[in-house]
């Protein structure tokens, strides 16, 4: 059993801390945000993540998991400190704001009185871990701090499984610290999970490369989807035609309204900025951002062309993907904003979990509705833009009864086309000609 202090209770910090307690370690999760810690102490989880609630309650009850605002109280009991604070994009030039990381480093220097391993799970530009190591080495500390880079690849909505059973765990560290990391991850190792040990800077770059590559795959299939629509090719057969080549693979080939979320856009911008600083070729990487923006514009244009002038539009979905309440850089919001800027339409929308956070961005410019059918009231089109299970089961007849004109545009290819056509809908899906 290791004693672990996790600093930062965002997605990565909270899920990692809770999962480490689940495998038997003793974990204290620390955050400066008093309100957040106080809710966690009361058993209230600040993020939506299936399975996390139960896991928190279980491990708190077993006294393996606790929450605190005070690093000084716990730091010298710990075997490892995990840094999992946010690394947002700076507003100006896409560079990464490392203030949270460095203020944690200062705090550790102020309170630490023992040799320790400091694991950086926050996504940081290549070279940051080495800089942090230098900072510790040149500080007044009497004991050595060993920096380890251990990036996370958690997907929202799937984070517990991604932590417990990842395709691989990336560890950047000196050979001397590998055994301690093996002991920390003994449960993973015993279950045969693959570990890749490398140096600090490679581990940091792996994180950016993985997210950028996945985003490129999504941007690519969206462009191919757009080509398919124009020539009456079929995206579904196309996906299996290319995905069955094992060099390409099926995953991340679902066309949609573009990628969003808190990681892909931020990490790509950060990699662009970093590559520019070191004068490295980045034409392909840069084009991913443009391609994604073009996709959002294209979907908005398609809605406008489909529906014609004026009227009420119904949007089903506000979050950037299903099974999350997160609307950060959501393409659904991007499309809605683009359409609102035309000043031609009124918009009604519904999302199972994203309404509250969407309201913070869209304010009163749209009408928030209680369910699918309420959102479709008097609408000239329903746009299915997030792939929630609920939207796969829409009752076509009931929808038609509430709408003004029976048009449906499925931007995720999840509806049963036949059913809607039989009910008299004009159906448009992505990646195939209008059906
Ligand atoms: C991502 C990475 O997958 C994870 O490893 C990382 O560390 C954090 O960022 P997440 O943002 O939770 O995770 O979402 P993910 O499931 O990867 O999807 C990202 C975006 O791509 C979403 O907007 C999603 O709708 C879109 N997407 C994904 C597609 O449009 N098509 C696909 O085939 C896959």
């Amino acid at each position: 059993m290791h004693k672990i202090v996790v600093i930062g209770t965002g997605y990565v910090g909270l899920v990692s801390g809770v999962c480490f307690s689940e495998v038997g370690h003793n974990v204290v999760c620390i955050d400066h945000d008093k309100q957040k810690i106080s809710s966690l102490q009361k058993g209230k989880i600040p993020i939506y993540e299936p399975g996390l609630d139960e896991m928190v309650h279980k491990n708190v009850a077993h006294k393996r998991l606790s929450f605190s605002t005070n690093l000084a109280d716990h730091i010298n009991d710990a075997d490892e400190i995990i840094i999992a604070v946010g690394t947002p994009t700076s507003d100006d030039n896409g560079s990464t704001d490392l203030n949270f990381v460095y203020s944690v480093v200062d705090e550790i220097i102020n309170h630490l009185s023992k040799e320790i391993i400091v694991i950086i799970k926050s996504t940081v530009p290549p070279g940051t871990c080495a800089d942090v190591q230098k900072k510790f080495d040149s500080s007044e500390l009497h004991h050595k701090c060993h920096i380890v880079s251990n990036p996370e690849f958690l997907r929202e909505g799937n984070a517990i499984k991604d932590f417990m059973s990842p395709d691989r765990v990336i560890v950047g560290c000196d050979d001397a610290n590998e055994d301690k990391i093996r002991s920390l991850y003994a449960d993973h190792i015993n279950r045969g999970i693959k570990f890749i040990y490398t140096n600090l800077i490679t581990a940091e770059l792996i994180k950016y490369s993985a997210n950028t590559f996945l985003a490129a795959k999504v941007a690519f299939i969206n462009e191919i989807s757009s080509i398919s629509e124009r020539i009456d090719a079929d995206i579904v057969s196309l996906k299996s035609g290319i995905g069955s080549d094992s060099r390409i693979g099926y995953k991340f080939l679902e066309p949609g309204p573009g990628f969003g979320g808190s990681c892909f856009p931020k990490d790509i911008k950060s990699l662009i900025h970093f590559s520019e600083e070191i004068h490295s070729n980045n034409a392909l990487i840069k084009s991913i951002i443009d391609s994604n923006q073009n996709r959002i514009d294209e979907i908005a244009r398609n809605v406008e062309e489909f529906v014609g002038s004026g009227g009420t539009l119904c949007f089903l979905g506000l979050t950037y993907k299903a099974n999350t309440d997160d609307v950060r850089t959501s393409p659904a919001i991007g499309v809605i904003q683009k359409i609102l800027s035309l000043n031609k339409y009124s918009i009604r929308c519904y999302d199972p979990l994203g309404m509250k956070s969407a309201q913070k961005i869209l304010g009163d410019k749209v009408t928030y509705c209680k369910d699918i059918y309420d959102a479709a009231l008097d609408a000239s089109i329903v746009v299915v833009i997030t792939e929630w299970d609920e939207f796969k089961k829409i009752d076509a007849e009931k929808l038609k009864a509430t709408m003004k004109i029976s048009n449906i545009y499925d931007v995720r290819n999840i509806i049963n086309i036949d059913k809607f056509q039989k009910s008299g809908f004009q159906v448009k899906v992505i990646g195939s000609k209008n059906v």
Side-chain angles (χ1 to χ4, degrees), residues 208-390:
Y208 284 103
S209 311
N211 274 357
T212 304
F213 187 81
L214 291 170
K217 239 181 145 180
V218 173
F220 175 81
I221 198 66
N222 283 339
E223 289 191 4
I224 296 294
S225 167
S226 182
I227 293 172
S228 291
E229 280 165 29
R230 285 163 174 76
I231 60 171
D232 207 11
D234 168 40
I235 197 71
V236 179
S237 316
L238 190 141
K239 265 189 319 187
S240 53
I242 61 172
S244 51
D245 183 331
S246 59
R247 292 172 301 176
I248 297 172
Y250 291 101
K251 291 185 180 160
F252 274 71
L253 284 184
E254 293 303 331
F259 60 78
S262 64
C263 289
F264 282 4
K266 164 177 99 72
D267 291 354
I268 300 168
K269 280 181 197 147
S270 178
L271 186 58
I272 292 168
H273 184 266
F274 178 72
S275 56
E276 263 159 19
E277 270 184 344
I278 57 168
H279 309 292
S280 179
N281 181 17
N282 60 10
L284 175 65
I285 301 170
K286 270 179 164 168
S287 70
I288 302 168
I289 296 282
D290 292 342
S291 173
N292 201 49
Q293 185 56 49
N294 291 345
R295 181 64 173 168
I296 290 167
D297 297 346
E298 179 183 31
I299 301 296
R301 225 169 26 245
N302 288 348
V303 171
E304 196 191 350
E305 273 170 25
F306 192 3
V307 81
S309 60
T312 300
L313 316 183
C314 160
F315 274 82
L316 298 182
L318 293 164
T319 52
Y320 75 100
K321 63 172 191 177
N323 302 319
T324 177
D325 59 357
D326 201 340
V327 298
R328 282 176 287 177
T329 58
S330 168
I333 304 274
V335 170
I336 289 174
Q337 282 172 326
K338 189 91 200 164
I339 289 177
L340 284 172
S341 72
L342 302 171
N343 284 323
K344 287 207 287 194
Y345 304 102
S346 60
I347 293 183
R348 296 172 69 80
C349 56
Y350 167 71
D351 186 285
L353 287 180
M355 307 268 264
K356 250 196 196 158
S357 30
Q359 208 156 355
K360 288 185 195 140
I361 303 173
L362 295 170
D364 58 4
K365 293 193 185 108
V366 300
T367 307
Y368 305 91
C369 303
K370 68 176 191 304
D371 62 24
I372 295 171
Y373 307 97
D374 181 27
L377 187 67
D378 283 334
S380 303
I381 189 172
V382 164
V383 183
V384 180
I385 199 158
T386 310
E387 74 284 21
W388 287 101
D389 278 347
E390 203 180 323

Side-chain angles (χ1 to χ4, degrees), residues 67-137:
F67 303 96
S68 168
T69 49
N70 197 335
L71 178 63
D73 283 353
H74 304 280
I75 189 169
N76 292 305
D77 287 335
D79 301 306
E80 287 93 16
I81 300 169
I82 295 178
I83 300 181
V85 292
T87 51
T89 311
S90 302
D91 286 340
D92 42 356
N93 55 4
S95 64
T96 307
D97 179 352
L98 291 170
N99 280 324
F100 295 122
V101 172
Y102 282 112
S103 71
V104 166
V105 169
D106 287 339
E107 228 187 314
I108 293 174
I109 291 172
N110 285 340
H111 299 294
L112 192 69
S113 59
K114 63 179 291 209
E115 184 168 346
I116 206 159
I117 292 199
V118 175
I119 298 170
I120 300 198
K121 275 199 183 285
S122 303
T123 302
V124 291
T128 307
C129 287
D131 278 348
V132 171
Q133 181 71 69
K134 269 191 217 143
K135 201 158 191 269
F136 280 127
D137 292 347

Side-chain angles (χ1 to χ4, degrees), residues 78 92 108 145 150 160 194 202 274 380 418:
D92 42 356
I108 293 174
C145 271
N150 178 211
I160 291 179
K194 180 174 179 174
T202 309
F274 178 72
S380 303
D418 275 358

Side-chain angles (χ1 to χ4, degrees), residues 19 22-23 55 159-166 188 191 193:
C19 289
E22 176 72 12
V23 299
M55 214 179 248
I160 291 179
K161 190 171 165 287
D162 284 344
F163 186 90
M164 290 300 205
S165 304
H188 283 68
R191 288 186 289 115
I193 306 283

